[in-house]
Amino acid sequence: MGSKRIRYRRAAAAVAAGALPCLAFPAPALWWFAYVALVPWMLLLRSAPTGRRAALEGWLGGAGFIVAVHHWLLPSLHVFLLPLAALVGLLWIPWALLVREFLGGAPDPGRAAAALLLVPAGWLLSELARSWQGLGGPWGLLGASQWQVPPALRLASVGGVWLVSLLVVAVNCGLVLLIAVPGARVPAVAGVTGCVVLTGAVWLWVPRPEVSGALRVAVVQPGLVADGPDSTEQRFAAGERLTRALAGQRVDLVVWGESSVGADLAARPDLAGRLAALSAKIGAPLLVNVDARRPAGPVAPTAAAPYADAFAAPVAAAAATADGGIYKSSVLVGPRGPTGDRYDKMRLVPFGEYIPARSLLGWATSVGKAAGEDRRRGAEPVLMVLPGRPGVRIGPLVCFESAFPDMSRRLTRDGAALLIAQSATSSFQRSWAPAQHASLAALRAAEDGRPMVHATLTGISAVYGPSGERVGAALPTSARTARVYEVPLARGSTYYVRFGDWPVGACLALLAVYCAAEGARSLGLRKPAPAPEPTTPPARTARG
């Protein structure tokens, strides 16, 4: 009976310990806590009596982490969040086994030094696996908790958010060695010191983005609109009213949030005409976001809003054929209507915008606010030339896509001077979601050396410079306003843009070498003993 009680207590402790790192993310934003948050979980894992027990506690802790970081999804997913967390929590099992293998017992200095490399690599493996869009994407990566720490942002410019995650886990690992393994204090101190020296070297010697000019970008945040049959029209009217107040402020671009236009502009020339009039009044193009069913059949320009702009040639894509599905699209509108620059969202939110394997999981719509109809995906990223600034190209992303480092990197490599994320977190206003989402833009800006605008319908809207630094004040969820930001542009390329996710490749190679060495050792231990020499019967001798 006593042993069963201990197992239950350890299981509960694993869930609680796995949930602890959530305090390092916004809204609490205790960034410093990330460097110690894994210590209780790792101490529990290293004391697991068996590998099976460590695997169980790794799984339970991973599930606890997912529920804690994504708890604000409960109003949408309800109880479905729990099986989803249980599924994703399985990804922490390899990491838990590595913790027990290298930190359990009394590791010698060599094993302790290996732990400082392999344990962070194992953690990164779990982050990489759950970054797949179908599992929710790279939301809540441990390195993302450091979005407001300048040295960590500089590390991100070298190896992306992945390098920051590795450093944070390595520091936690070093602290576990210092606490629990007195004989491993030398490698532990050396490892933590190495993390500090690496961060300092990057801070001192990695070049900062070279600022080259600026753009005046206005962010329009209309605030909450009550649900109802005319809510989309009310939201459009609010954005229209706030944008009209920008007249005379010399703006280069106006950005509206996700789903700011509730009807396809080809089907509603009146809306297109109102947006064109706004653009003419304030003297700047508008980047709006259309969340609507696209009319089936050929998409032709309308008389009221031709897909041509005073600054742009007619676009051949205007004759493309639509399939009648629902798209979320960033659309650039000038004084003569939509310019023809349109980006359709490529990575959709599981359950929120589509149901994975709908034939099997379609019942989720009956227990939460899951998508009743799957939205359609865009085919490729799009760069838009900013009217009036022909040398400046903007790279739009929609909502969830700002969590994916590879998408903003692709846009930067293709020539984007300004990254823009159009978002809407109105369903999660009183939760941690708006702050978590806005913080991701700081990381993307730092990784790519390009400023990023995070514009939302209901807050938090924020702007970050090319080093990930905050530009101006963020717009809180209570704000209903249009604000102009002086956004610095930058030239040059970061190491992350040039070399990509090299920390991921290095960790996978390290883990592959370890697995190969373990496999070879296992085969060596199981090698059959050599067969005994054949014996011959003793020779007979004759006496005579």
Side-chain angles (χ1 to χ4, degrees), residues 458-506:
T458 58
I460 296 173
S461 298
V463 178
Y464 299 94
S467 294
E469 74 280 13
R470 176 75 59 79
V471 174
L475 300 180
T477 55
S478 60
R480 295 186 175 191
T481 186
R483 181 168 295 175
V484 180
Y485 293 86
E486 193 83 16
V487 182
L489 301 179
R491 63 165 66 97
S493 181
T494 65
Y495 288 109
Y496 178 71
V497 170
R498 276 182 267 174
F499 302 113
D501 302 326
W502 62 265
V504 173

Side-chain angles (χ1 to χ4, degrees), residues 22 99 102 150 260 286 292 324 339 353:
C22 76
V99 171
F102 285 94
S260 48
L286 280 67
T339 67
E353 294 171 338

Side-chain angles (χ1 to χ4, degrees), residues 212 215 381-386 389-396 406-420 448-451 489-494 497-498:
S212 58
L215 286 177
V382 173
L383 287 178
M384 303 177 179
V385 177
L386 187 62
R389 299 288 295 268
V392 176
R393 293 194 287 178
I394 60 177
D406 64 300
M407 295 195 74
S408 55
R409 177 174 177 259
R410 165 74 182 273
L411 289 169
T412 303
R413 287 174 64 89
D414 289 346
L418 173 65
L419 301 169
I420 298 175
D448 301 308
R450 294 293 181 269
L489 301 179
R491 63 165 66 97
S493 181
T494 65
V497 170
R498 276 182 267 174

Side-chain angles (χ1 to χ4, degrees), residues 253-351:
L253 176 66
V254 178
V255 183
W256 287 18
E258 179 188 15
S259 305
S260 48
V261 179
D264 190 84
L265 296 180
R268 290 286 304 274
D270 58 319
L271 295 183
R274 288 162 68 179
L275 290 171
L278 271 180
S279 176
K281 180 176 179 62
I282 63 176
L286 280 67
L287 185 69
V288 299
N289 189 272
V290 177
D291 182 3
R293 187 176 303 280
R294 194 170 299 175
V299 179
T302 64
Y307 281 11
D309 190 271
F311 307 105
V315 178
T321 299
D323 58 9
I326 301 176
Y327 289 82
K328 283 192 176 181
S329 307
S330 300
V331 180
L332 193 63
V333 181
R336 295 178 56 194
T339 67
D341 283 332
R342 179 175 193 144
Y343 166 66
D344 297 327
K345 186 177 183 180
M346 297 169 61
R347 296 184 183 173
L348 304 178
V349 180
F351 298 99

Side-chain angles (χ1 to χ4, degrees), residues 222 234 236-246 256 278 480:
Q234 288 185 38
F236 186 97
E240 189 178 31
R241 183 178 63 256
L242 292 169
T243 302
R244 195 177 294 118
L246 294 169
W256 287 18
L278 271 180
R480 295 186 175 191

